[in-house]
Amino acid sequence: MRTSRIRIAAVAGATTALALGFTAYANSATDSGTQTHRSTGTVAHAAPYTSTGSVEQAAGQVIASEGAAPAAAGQQVTVASAKKTVTVAKKKPAPRATTTSVRQCSGDEISYDVLHRFPKQLGEHLLVTAMNADSKPCWVTASPSVMLGDTVNVLPHSKKDAPGGTARITLKPGAKVYSAVNLFADGTKKRTSTELSLALRDQGGDTGPAVELNAFTSKGAVSKFTWSDADVTNWNTAKPYDF
């Protein structure tokens, strides 16, 4: 029994000495200016630190070790044990969907109107109005392909019109564009008709299906027109000869 008590006392003494040793180590660390740091936050699934001390987190949040709520995007959280500042990376907004390109007008969606202006006067012409009657936008370009009456000759582009005309003009639903068929009746070979054939062109000059139209007076009556020569202007958003 005596031997047992000695062993117990020895173990107790060793334990006390070990505790005193830890206390002394802690005191000496404090006295020498070395401080231990307790982490105030932990990074979940974090990538390595960058050279500026910021980290982009794969998980997208910082989880506080004390049970605090996750950090919001852009919020800075100090991790004391690492002496670093981590920044929660903001998610980039999703790219906007690109809009579908506007198609060329086929002619089926176009509503036409032909007005005979200044009959037998200087500046006589057929004002052609084209309106997009569809629910989707489309584009036209250049001048319409026009044949008067029963002729098979396509009218040339007017030399008095502005050059070019290959740009696209987009017609939103309900929008209108205008062209003019200039009529000249000062030649010897005159022709008379109330009708014309019209087709749209593409940017390469090719034409689509034609439509047969009648010319009308301002009062809505079918109008006869006479010509010995004629030409046509490009489509325009403004009325030609609007005076």
Side-chain angles (χ1 to χ4, degrees), residues 87-118:
T87 302
V88 179
K90 294 182 178 180
K91 294 183 180 180
K92 295 181 179 180
R96 294 182 179 179
T98 56
T99 56
T100 304
S101 59
V102 178
R103 60 185 175 82
Q104 180 183 358
C105 298
S106 65
D108 294 337
E109 67 282 84
I110 301 298
S111 174
Y112 296 98
D113 179 67
V114 180
L115 176 63
H116 188 191
R117 300 190 72 203
F118 311 124

mmCIF file of all heavy atoms in Angstrom, residues 87-118:
data_model
loop_
_atom_site.group_PDB
_atom_site.id
_atom_site.type_symbol
_atom_site.label_atom_id
_atom_site.label_comp_id
_atom_site.label_asym_id
_atom_site.label_seq_id
_atom_site.Cartn_x
_atom_site.Cartn_y
_atom_site.Cartn_z
ATOM 1 N N THR A 87 -12.205 38.846 -50.098
ATOM 2 C CA THR A 87 -13.346 39.519 -50.715
ATOM 3 C C THR A 87 -14.205 38.494 -51.423
ATOM 4 O O THR A 87 -13.697 37.690 -52.207
ATOM 5 C CB THR A 87 -12.872 40.572 -51.733
ATOM 6 O OG1 THR A 87 -12.030 41.498 -51.060
ATOM 7 C CG2 THR A 87 -14.073 41.308 -52.341
ATOM 8 N N VAL A 88 -15.478 38.515 -51.109
ATOM 9 C CA VAL A 88 -16.402 37.601 -51.763
ATOM 10 C C VAL A 88 -16.583 38.055 -53.207
ATOM 11 O O VAL A 88 -16.951 39.192 -53.465
ATOM 12 C CB VAL A 88 -17.763 37.586 -51.051
ATOM 13 C CG1 VAL A 88 -18.728 36.646 -51.760
ATOM 14 C CG2 VAL A 88 -17.576 37.179 -49.602
ATOM 15 N N ALA A 89 -16.286 37.194 -54.146
ATOM 16 C CA ALA A 89 -16.366 37.548 -55.558
ATOM 17 C C ALA A 89 -17.808 37.729 -55.979
ATOM 18 O O ALA A 89 -18.657 36.896 -55.676
ATOM 19 C CB ALA A 89 -15.692 36.468 -56.408
ATOM 20 N N LYS A 90 -18.096 38.839 -56.672
ATOM 21 C CA LYS A 90 -19.448 39.079 -57.170
ATOM 22 C C LYS A 90 -19.681 38.266 -58.435
ATOM 23 O O LYS A 90 -18.814 38.174 -59.292
ATOM 24 C CB LYS A 90 -19.650 40.562 -57.479
ATOM 25 C CG LYS A 90 -19.593 41.459 -56.254
ATOM 26 C CD LYS A 90 -19.845 42.901 -56.642
ATOM 27 C CE LYS A 90 -19.830 43.799 -55.426
ATOM 28 N NZ LYS A 90 -20.069 45.210 -55.785
ATOM 29 N N LYS A 91 -20.848 37.699 -58.531
ATOM 30 C CA LYS A 91 -21.184 36.938 -59.724
ATOM 31 C C LYS A 91 -21.460 37.879 -60.889
ATOM 32 O O LYS A 91 -22.137 38.874 -60.745
ATOM 33 C CB LYS A 91 -22.429 36.070 -59.464
ATOM 34 C CG LYS A 91 -22.204 34.972 -58.443
ATOM 35 C CD LYS A 91 -23.454 34.133 -58.299
ATOM 36 C CE LYS A 91 -23.245 33.017 -57.283
ATOM 37 N NZ LYS A 91 -24.458 32.191 -57.124
ATOM 38 N N LYS A 92 -20.895 37.555 -62.049
ATOM 39 C CA LYS A 92 -21.137 38.358 -63.237
ATOM 40 C C LYS A 92 -22.555 38.122 -63.751
ATOM 41 O O LYS A 92 -23.032 36.997 -63.728
ATOM 42 C CB LYS A 92 -20.122 38.002 -64.332
ATOM 43 C CG LYS A 92 -18.693 38.351 -63.977
ATOM 44 C CD LYS A 92 -17.759 38.000 -65.125
ATOM 45 C CE LYS A 92 -16.328 38.365 -64.785
ATOM 46 N NZ LYS A 92 -15.396 38.034 -65.895
ATOM 47 N N PRO A 93 -23.227 39.204 -64.198
ATOM 48 C CA PRO A 93 -24.588 39.011 -64.736
ATOM 49 C C PRO A 93 -24.558 38.168 -65.990
ATOM 50 O O PRO A 93 -23.600 38.199 -66.758
ATOM 51 C CB PRO A 93 -25.050 40.443 -65.036
ATOM 52 C CG PRO A 93 -23.780 41.225 -65.207
ATOM 53 C CD PRO A 93 -22.781 40.582 -64.268
ATOM 54 N N ALA A 94 -25.615 37.405 -66.182
ATOM 55 C CA ALA A 94 -25.710 36.553 -67.369
ATOM 56 C C ALA A 94 -25.807 37.422 -68.611
ATOM 57 O O ALA A 94 -26.467 38.461 -68.601
ATOM 58 C CB ALA A 94 -26.936 35.647 -67.266
ATOM 59 N N PRO A 95 -25.122 37.064 -69.679
ATOM 60 C CA PRO A 95 -25.182 37.878 -70.903
ATOM 61 C C PRO A 95 -26.584 37.903 -71.483
ATOM 62 O O PRO A 95 -27.320 36.931 -71.409
ATOM 63 C CB PRO A 95 -24.203 37.156 -71.843
ATOM 64 C CG PRO A 95 -24.154 35.754 -71.327
ATOM 65 C CD PRO A 95 -24.319 35.863 -69.838
ATOM 66 N N ARG A 96 -26.932 39.049 -72.037
ATOM 67 C CA ARG A 96 -28.258 39.191 -72.641
ATOM 68 C C ARG A 96 -28.334 38.383 -73.929
ATOM 69 O O ARG A 96 -27.380 38.290 -74.676
ATOM 70 C CB ARG A 96 -28.556 40.658 -72.952
ATOM 71 C CG ARG A 96 -28.678 41.532 -71.704
ATOM 72 C CD ARG A 96 -29.013 42.957 -72.090
ATOM 73 N NE ARG A 96 -29.167 43.801 -70.914
ATOM 74 C CZ ARG A 96 -29.442 45.091 -70.979
ATOM 75 N NH1 ARG A 96 -29.606 45.674 -72.152
ATOM 76 N NH2 ARG A 96 -29.556 45.803 -69.871
ATOM 77 N N ALA A 97 -29.502 37.844 -74.152
ATOM 78 C CA ALA A 97 -29.695 37.062 -75.373
ATOM 79 C C ALA A 97 -29.684 37.994 -76.576
ATOM 80 O O ALA A 97 -30.255 39.081 -76.551
ATOM 81 C CB ALA A 97 -31.021 36.302 -75.320
ATOM 82 N N THR A 98 -28.983 37.590 -77.600
ATOM 83 C CA THR A 98 -28.911 38.395 -78.807
ATOM 84 C C THR A 98 -30.221 38.295 -79.584
ATOM 85 O O THR A 98 -30.865 37.260 -79.634
ATOM 86 C CB THR A 98 -27.764 37.918 -79.721
ATOM 87 O OG1 THR A 98 -27.954 36.517 -80.006
ATOM 88 C CG2 THR A 98 -26.423 38.109 -79.033
ATOM 89 N N THR A 99 -30.618 39.415 -80.145
ATOM 90 C CA THR A 99 -31.866 39.446 -80.892
ATOM 91 C C THR A 99 -31.665 38.836 -82.274
ATOM 92 O O THR A 99 -30.603 38.926 -82.867
ATOM 93 C CB THR A 99 -32.361 40.889 -81.039
ATOM 94 O OG1 THR A 99 -31.324 41.659 -81.661
ATOM 95 C CG2 THR A 99 -32.685 41.488 -79.675
ATOM 96 N N THR A 100 -32.711 38.229 -82.785
ATOM 97 C CA THR A 100 -32.645 37.641 -84.109
ATOM 98 C C THR A 100 -32.584 38.745 -85.151
ATOM 99 O O THR A 100 -33.263 39.760 -85.041
ATOM 100 C CB THR A 100 -33.885 36.766 -84.349
ATOM 101 O OG1 THR A 100 -33.966 35.796 -83.306
ATOM 102 C CG2 THR A 100 -33.789 36.065 -85.690
ATOM 103 N N SER A 101 -31.747 38.576 -86.165
ATOM 104 C CA SER A 101 -31.601 39.583 -87.200
ATOM 105 C C SER A 101 -32.914 39.746 -87.965
ATOM 106 O O SER A 101 -33.677 38.804 -88.156
ATOM 107 C CB SER A 101 -30.481 39.186 -88.159
ATOM 108 O OG SER A 101 -30.757 37.930 -88.746
ATOM 109 N N VAL A 102 -33.144 40.977 -88.421
ATOM 110 C CA VAL A 102 -34.373 41.294 -89.151
ATOM 111 C C VAL A 102 -34.296 40.673 -90.545
ATOM 112 O O VAL A 102 -33.286 40.766 -91.235
ATOM 113 C CB VAL A 102 -34.552 42.819 -89.248
ATOM 114 C CG1 VAL A 102 -35.798 43.166 -90.049
ATOM 115 C CG2 VAL A 102 -34.630 43.427 -87.856
ATOM 116 N N ARG A 103 -35.364 40.049 -90.981
ATOM 117 C CA ARG A 103 -35.399 39.382 -92.285
ATOM 118 C C ARG A 103 -35.766 40.376 -93.375
ATOM 119 O O ARG A 103 -36.265 41.478 -93.110
ATOM 120 C CB ARG A 103 -36.439 38.259 -92.254
ATOM 121 C CG ARG A 103 -37.844 38.771 -91.960
ATOM 122 C CD ARG A 103 -38.863 37.670 -91.814
ATOM 123 N NE ARG A 103 -40.158 38.219 -91.423
ATOM 124 C CZ ARG A 103 -41.027 38.755 -92.264
ATOM 125 N NH1 ARG A 103 -40.749 38.801 -93.543
ATOM 126 N NH2 ARG A 103 -42.172 39.238 -91.837
ATOM 127 N N GLN A 104 -35.538 39.981 -94.613
ATOM 128 C CA GLN A 104 -35.936 40.783 -95.749
ATOM 129 C C GLN A 104 -37.435 40.633 -95.981
ATOM 130 O O GLN A 104 -38.003 39.561 -95.780
ATOM 131 C CB GLN A 104 -35.182 40.347 -97.009
ATOM 132 C CG GLN A 104 -35.547 41.142 -98.248
ATOM 133 C CD GLN A 104 -34.833 40.650 -99.487
ATOM 134 O OE1 GLN A 104 -34.026 39.733 -99.413
ATOM 135 N NE2 GLN A 104 -35.123 41.247 -100.626
ATOM 136 N N CYS A 105 -38.077 41.722 -96.396
ATOM 137 C CA CYS A 105 -39.491 41.646 -96.731
ATOM 138 C C CYS A 105 -39.661 40.773 -97.980
ATOM 139 O O CYS A 105 -38.958 40.966 -98.980
ATOM 140 C CB CYS A 105 -40.050 43.042 -97.000
ATOM 141 S SG CYS A 105 -39.963 44.173 -95.597
ATOM 142 N N SER A 106 -40.571 39.831 -97.915
ATOM 143 C CA SER A 106 -40.790 38.936 -99.056
ATOM 144 C C SER A 106 -41.789 39.515 -100.049
ATOM 145 O O SER A 106 -41.823 39.126 -101.212
ATOM 146 C CB SER A 106 -41.294 37.578 -98.560
ATOM 147 O OG SER A 106 -42.576 37.711 -97.957
ATOM 148 N N GLY A 107 -42.600 40.460 -99.593
ATOM 149 C CA GLY A 107 -43.646 41.049 -100.433
ATOM 150 C C GLY A 107 -45.033 40.618 -99.998
ATOM 151 O O GLY A 107 -46.002 41.369 -100.160
ATOM 152 N N ASP A 108 -45.124 39.402 -99.422
ATOM 153 C CA ASP A 108 -46.431 38.921 -98.973
ATOM 154 C C ASP A 108 -46.968 39.721 -97.792
ATOM 155 O O ASP A 108 -48.188 39.831 -97.607
ATOM 156 C CB ASP A 108 -46.338 37.444 -98.580
ATOM 157 C CG ASP A 108 -46.028 36.548 -99.766
ATOM 158 O OD1 ASP A 108 -46.306 36.968 -100.906
ATOM 159 O OD2 ASP A 108 -45.502 35.438 -99.553
ATOM 160 N N GLU A 109 -46.059 40.274 -96.998
ATOM 161 C CA GLU A 109 -46.477 41.018 -95.810
ATOM 162 C C GLU A 109 -46.677 42.508 -96.085
ATOM 163 O O GLU A 109 -47.036 43.274 -95.199
ATOM 164 C CB GLU A 109 -45.466 40.840 -94.686
ATOM 165 C CG GLU A 109 -44.096 41.470 -94.924
ATOM 166 C CD GLU A 109 -43.202 40.671 -95.833
ATOM 167 O OE1 GLU A 109 -43.356 40.830 -97.062
ATOM 168 O OE2 GLU A 109 -42.358 39.913 -95.326
ATOM 169 N N ILE A 110 -46.460 42.921 -97.333
ATOM 170 C CA ILE A 110 -46.535 44.336 -97.687
ATOM 171 C C ILE A 110 -47.890 44.689 -98.290
ATOM 172 O O ILE A 110 -48.415 43.983 -99.154
ATOM 173 C CB ILE A 110 -45.420 44.711 -98.685
ATOM 174 C CG1 ILE A 110 -44.048 44.417 -98.081
ATOM 175 C CG2 ILE A 110 -45.512 46.179 -99.071
ATOM 176 C CD1 ILE A 110 -43.740 45.196 -96.841
ATOM 177 N N SER A 111 -48.441 45.792 -97.806
ATOM 178 C CA SER A 111 -49.666 46.354 -98.370
ATOM 179 C C SER A 111 -49.284 47.572 -99.211
ATOM 180 O O SER A 111 -48.594 48.477 -98.716
ATOM 181 C CB SER A 111 -50.626 46.761 -97.249
ATOM 182 O OG SER A 111 -51.754 47.438 -97.766
ATOM 183 N N TYR A 112 -49.696 47.594 -100.491
ATOM 184 C CA TYR A 112 -49.309 48.654 -101.413
ATOM 185 C C TYR A 112 -50.469 49.591 -101.719
ATOM 186 O O TYR A 112 -51.642 49.187 -101.690
ATOM 187 C CB TYR A 112 -48.801 48.068 -102.737
ATOM 188 C CG TYR A 112 -47.551 47.239 -102.619
ATOM 189 C CD1 TYR A 112 -47.617 45.843 -102.558
ATOM 190 C CD2 TYR A 112 -46.305 47.831 -102.562
ATOM 191 C CE1 TYR A 112 -46.468 45.073 -102.459
ATOM 192 C CE2 TYR A 112 -45.149 47.069 -102.465
ATOM 193 C CZ TYR A 112 -45.240 45.692 -102.407
ATOM 194 O OH TYR A 112 -44.103 44.947 -102.294
ATOM 195 N N ASP A 113 -50.098 50.821 -102.035
ATOM 196 C CA ASP A 113 -51.077 51.802 -102.492
ATOM 197 C C ASP A 113 -50.387 52.666 -103.544
ATOM 198 O O ASP A 113 -49.245 53.113 -103.335
ATOM 199 C CB ASP A 113 -51.558 52.667 -101.330
ATOM 200 C CG ASP A 113 -52.561 53.711 -101.760
ATOM 201 O OD1 ASP A 113 -53.675 53.328 -102.151
ATOM 202 O OD2 ASP A 113 -52.220 54.917 -101.729
ATOM 203 N N VAL A 114 -51.068 52.897 -104.669
ATOM 204 C CA VAL A 114 -50.495 53.692 -105.765
ATOM 205 C C VAL A 114 -51.404 54.890 -106.025
ATOM 206 O O VAL A 114 -52.574 54.725 -106.403
ATOM 207 C CB VAL A 114 -50.345 52.848 -107.042
ATOM 208 C CG1 VAL A 114 -49.739 53.701 -108.161
ATOM 209 C CG2 VAL A 114 -49.482 51.623 -106.787
ATOM 210 N N LEU A 115 -50.864 56.081 -105.855
ATOM 211 C CA LEU A 115 -51.622 57.317 -106.040
ATOM 212 C C LEU A 115 -51.094 58.057 -107.261
ATOM 213 O O LEU A 115 -49.892 58.361 -107.349
ATOM 214 C CB LEU A 115 -51.499 58.208 -104.801
ATOM 215 C CG LEU A 115 -52.151 59.588 -104.877
ATOM 216 C CD1 LEU A 115 -53.663 59.474 -105.051
ATOM 217 C CD2 LEU A 115 -51.804 60.408 -103.624
ATOM 218 N N HIS A 116 -51.987 58.347 -108.220
ATOM 219 C CA HIS A 116 -51.610 59.106 -109.417
ATOM 220 C C HIS A 116 -51.640 60.587 -109.080
ATOM 221 O O HIS A 116 -52.712 61.168 -108.858
ATOM 222 C CB HIS A 116 -52.589 58.782 -110.553
ATOM 223 C CG HIS A 116 -52.182 59.371 -111.865
ATOM 224 N ND1 HIS A 116 -53.036 59.383 -112.960
ATOM 225 C CD2 HIS A 116 -51.036 59.961 -112.290
ATOM 226 C CE1 HIS A 116 -52.420 59.950 -113.980
ATOM 227 N NE2 HIS A 116 -51.209 60.316 -113.594
ATOM 228 N N ARG A 117 -50.466 61.220 -109.101
ATOM 229 C CA ARG A 117 -50.370 62.639 -108.725
ATOM 230 C C ARG A 117 -50.053 63.510 -109.937
ATOM 231 O O ARG A 117 -49.304 63.117 -110.820
ATOM 232 C CB ARG A 117 -49.288 62.832 -107.655
ATOM 233 C CG ARG A 117 -49.530 62.049 -106.363
ATOM 234 C CD ARG A 117 -48.549 62.496 -105.307
ATOM 235 N NE ARG A 117 -48.884 63.834 -104.826
ATOM 236 C CZ ARG A 117 -47.991 64.654 -104.249
ATOM 237 N NH1 ARG A 117 -46.730 64.278 -104.121
ATOM 238 N NH2 ARG A 117 -48.371 65.845 -103.827
ATOM 239 N N PHE A 118 -50.632 64.701 -109.933
ATOM 240 C CA PHE A 118 -50.427 65.724 -110.961
ATOM 241 C C PHE A 118 -50.665 65.191 -112.386
ATOM 242 O O PHE A 118 -49.795 65.291 -113.258
ATOM 243 C CB PHE A 118 -49.012 66.327 -110.871
ATOM 244 C CG PHE A 118 -48.620 66.759 -109.487
ATOM 245 C CD1 PHE A 118 -47.472 66.264 -108.888
ATOM 246 C CD2 PHE A 118 -49.408 67.654 -108.774
ATOM 247 C CE1 PHE A 118 -47.104 66.667 -107.625
ATOM 248 C CE2 PHE A 118 -49.044 68.063 -107.504
ATOM 249 C CZ PHE A 118 -47.889 67.560 -106.914
#
